[in-house]
Amino acid sequence: MHATMMDYPLTLVPLLERAGKLFPDTEIVSRRPDKSLHRYRTADFCRRARALAAALQRAGLAKGEAVATLMWNNSAHLEAYFGVPCAGGVVLTLNLRLPPADLTYIVNHAKPRFLIIDDVLLPLYEQFKKDVALDRVFVVRWNKGSLADGLSDYDSFIEPGSDGFVYPALAEGDAAGMCYTSGTTGKPKGVVYSHRALVLHSLAISLPDVHAFSHRECVMPVVPMFHANAWGHPFACVMLGAKQVFPGPHLDAESLLDLCANEGVTLTAGVPTVWLAVVQALDANPTRWRLKPGMRVLTGGSAAPEGLLRGLERHGLKAMHGWGMTEMAPVGALYSRKLKLDALDTDARYRHLTRQGLPLPLVEMRVVNDAGEAPWDGESMGELQVRGPFIAGRYHNAPEAADRWTGDGWFKTGDVVTIDADGYMKLADRTKDLVKSGGEWISSVELENALMSHPAVAEAAVIAIQHPKWQERPLAAVVLKKDAQATAESLRAHLAERFAKWWLPDAIVFIDAIPRTSTGKFQKAVLRERFKDWQWDKAV
Ligand code: ADP
């Protein structure tokens, strides 16, 4: 017997068209570079996304061809998120925090002919322009300044509109989007998302047990649209007709809190470093912002310190914790409390929430160590491997990295985790960040979280340092809160309450700031470089 259902491909086109038809009046708000607000209706967004698709088609965009963006989070970027794939192209989001050499490498590797760029980012383009060959560059002119030769105005490009435009025939397996990993090891590697992957990911993250998105929400993605699809939120929000608020280039805590308060944000998402600053601003000024009670704050991308989760909830916000990767679309797990855990006391509840969560529907997980597949017992550590319909099966033109997939078709995440009997995944470390002391593993993440639960500590990062006897030992780099005081001894005593003695960092050094990666995570590679000649006789 054969199934009798329609053969209807999963593509972004019906998501875009539905939003325009059902939720034409829902607003989309963007903060311009000059800090003023740009706002328009979803109907305007759909009209312009369609007009972009039509313009690209007229300009000769070939099926499967990349169109690059170099943009902040804003409505024009959202137009590209939909207009490019709905024209049969692949929206290639360039990470504007990467060094020009990496941008050059990525552009020459993915070979887009067109670039859409925010005017304020033209100085960055100038730095690699001579090393790449782009046919046309469309500038979104937030500042209405004049245009240099060789550049085209984005608004004029899409102005003819979409009369007579017909969407190209798309299969669900067709490429829709592309993002490169940050390349912390080796060259950046490109992941090409299919329409099907983006649609299924949108449905999966919208579920009540995941983000519980609906058209009644107001969502502010702080996580950049130039990295990992802004965790898929822009696609899901258009699918459902939710209001979206885009912060543009203004990512300081006060600007973000102003937007949340003024626009009635109900869910916002970003990396922990953003929320650490937000909690500090709220602590300093608890009554300044009238936030929606219970506003959900999703933290992910690196481990969520318990103190951060508590800090958010102290201000009446709901902390959410998720885990994902560029190689997924990108969310793989989200913390959702099972009914039987409702009985946990407050301390245990927060500790539990530092787990990265349950795998999303359609995401399969397993833990693999030297002994093979490890049981889900909460203790057996190993590498997390995943598979599912919104997980990359290979990188774009990078055969040298084929070993990231196992022979039986699972993706090796490079994360070392445990999974407990209830299915909660807990990340101990990235493989390269683990501290291997005398044949045993020490989780830098757990030490960092414990350090950041100390009232005087603003931020902490733990790295492995070569050791003559133990192979590696942990060094903690600590940033104290403004005007706060703590000694290495007092921090070690704080850690000793929770960890075995051999876990305690042999050195605790105080620094002014922890270097950040292009996506706002702690950049341990830079710290490792800085302390590579560390002499253990200096240790505290
Ligand atoms: P990169 O960090 O190299 O820029 P990604 O943005 O794809 O690349 O990051 C994926 C990695 O981020 C994961 O493999 C994991 O190590 C880390 N990560 C993501 N979410 C979390 C989380 N909630 N807790 C701890 N680590 C996380």
Side-chain angles (χ1 to χ4, degrees), residues 181-184 227-228 231 299-304 321-327 354 356 413-415 427 429-430 432 445 517-519 521:
T181 60
S182 330
T184 30
H227 185 68
W231 296 351
T299 175
S302 54
H321 186 194
W323 168 89
M325 297 185 79
T326 306
E327 289 86 344
T354 60
Q356 280 64 21
T413 62
D415 284 345
L427 188 143
D429 237 321
R430 297 182 96 159
K432 59 181 187 298
V445 170
T517 68
S518 65
T519 50
K521 305 182 188 186

Side-chain angles (χ1 to χ4, degrees), residues 127 209 448:
Q127 293 181 45
D209 287 336
E448 287 160 8

Side-chain angles (χ1 to χ4, degrees), residues 72-84:
W72 291 103
N73 288 15
N74 57 47
S75 57
H77 210 168
L78 188 67
E79 290 164 15
Y81 259 48
F82 279 85
V84 173

Side-chain angles (χ1 to χ4, degrees), residues 112-152:
R113 282 188 299 138
F114 304 142
L115 167 71
I116 308 174
I117 184 169
D118 285 334
D119 53 1
V120 286
L121 293 170
L122 282 168
L124 174 58
Y125 172 56
E126 285 296 322
Q127 293 181 45
F128 64 95
K129 174 171 110 175
K130 64 174 192 330
D131 302 317
V132 298
L134 291 163
D135 287 353
R136 300 195 59 186
V137 176
F138 304 106
V139 182
V140 182
R141 290 160 75 191
W142 300 101
N143 289 328
K144 305 283 174 235
S146 58
L147 273 189
D149 283 352
L151 302 175
S152 308

Side-chain angles (χ1 to χ4, degrees), residues 21-279:
K21 276 202 194 85
L22 299 190
F23 301 99
D25 297 326
T26 300
E27 276 192 311
I28 295 173
V29 181
S30 312
R31 195 174 301 266
R32 294 192 187 92
D34 70 1
K35 287 208 121 184
S36 65
L37 294 181
H38 168 279
R39 48 177 81 235
Y40 65 9
R41 303 178 325 137
T42 293
D44 301 318
F45 152 67
C46 290
R47 182 175 47 73
R48 287 171 60 91
R50 219 184 285 124
L52 171 61
L56 289 168
Q57 206 174 60
R58 277 195 303 277
L61 180 77
K63 185 100 173 277
E65 186 180 333
V67 174
T69 62
L70 195 52
M71 307 171 87
W72 291 103
N73 288 15
N74 57 47
S75 57
H77 210 168
L78 188 67
E79 290 164 15
Y81 259 48
F82 279 85
V84 173
C86 292
V90 184
V91 58
L92 161 67
T93 52
L94 297 175
N95 180 339
L96 54 88
R97 297 198 203 276
L98 288 181
D102 279 356
L103 293 170
T104 304
Y105 173 83
I106 291 170
V107 170
N108 290 332
H109 192 256
K111 302 191 175 52
R113 282 188 299 138
F114 304 142
L115 167 71
I116 308 174
I117 184 169
D118 285 334
D119 53 1
V120 286
L121 293 170
L122 282 168
L124 174 58
Y125 172 56
E126 285 296 322
Q127 293 181 45
F128 64 95
K129 174 171 110 175
K130 64 174 192 330
D131 302 317
V132 298
L134 291 163
D135 287 353
R136 300 195 59 186
V137 176
F138 304 106
V139 182
V140 182
R141 290 160 75 191
W142 300 101
N143 289 328
K144 305 283 174 235
S146 58
L147 273 189
D149 283 352
L151 302 175
S152 308
D153 176 59
Y154 172 80
D155 277 345
S156 311
F157 178 55
I158 69 167
E159 195 185 286
S162 58
D163 283 355
F165 166 72
V166 181
Y167 288 111
L170 292 171
E172 61 180 26
D174 285 345
M178 183 173 195
C179 182
Y180 278 74
T181 60
S182 330
T184 30
T185 49
K187 288 282 182 215
K189 293 184 191 59
V191 176
V192 184
Y193 309 100
S194 60
H195 279 265
R196 171 187 155 88
L198 296 179
V199 170
L200 290 174
H201 182 266
S202 301
L203 289 167
I205 63 169
S206 298
L207 291 169
D209 287 336
V210 187
H211 298 345
F213 278 150
S214 95
H215 61 88
R216 300 168 66 96
E217 300 287 340
C218 174
V219 177
M220 181 171 81
V222 178
V223 44
M225 293 172 82
F226 58 72
H227 185 68
N229 302 327
W231 296 351
H233 291 193
F235 292 118
C237 288
V238 169
M239 175 180 81
L240 295 165
K243 175 175 173 180
Q244 292 190 74
V245 177
F246 295 112
H250 303 288
L251 303 176
D252 60 287
E254 298 206 347
S255 299
L256 294 176
L257 285 163
D258 286 347
L259 265 186
C260 290
N262 298 338
E263 298 298 329
V265 169
T266 55
L267 186 149
T268 176
V271 290
T273 44
V274 168
W275 306 130
L276 286 168
V278 160
V279 169

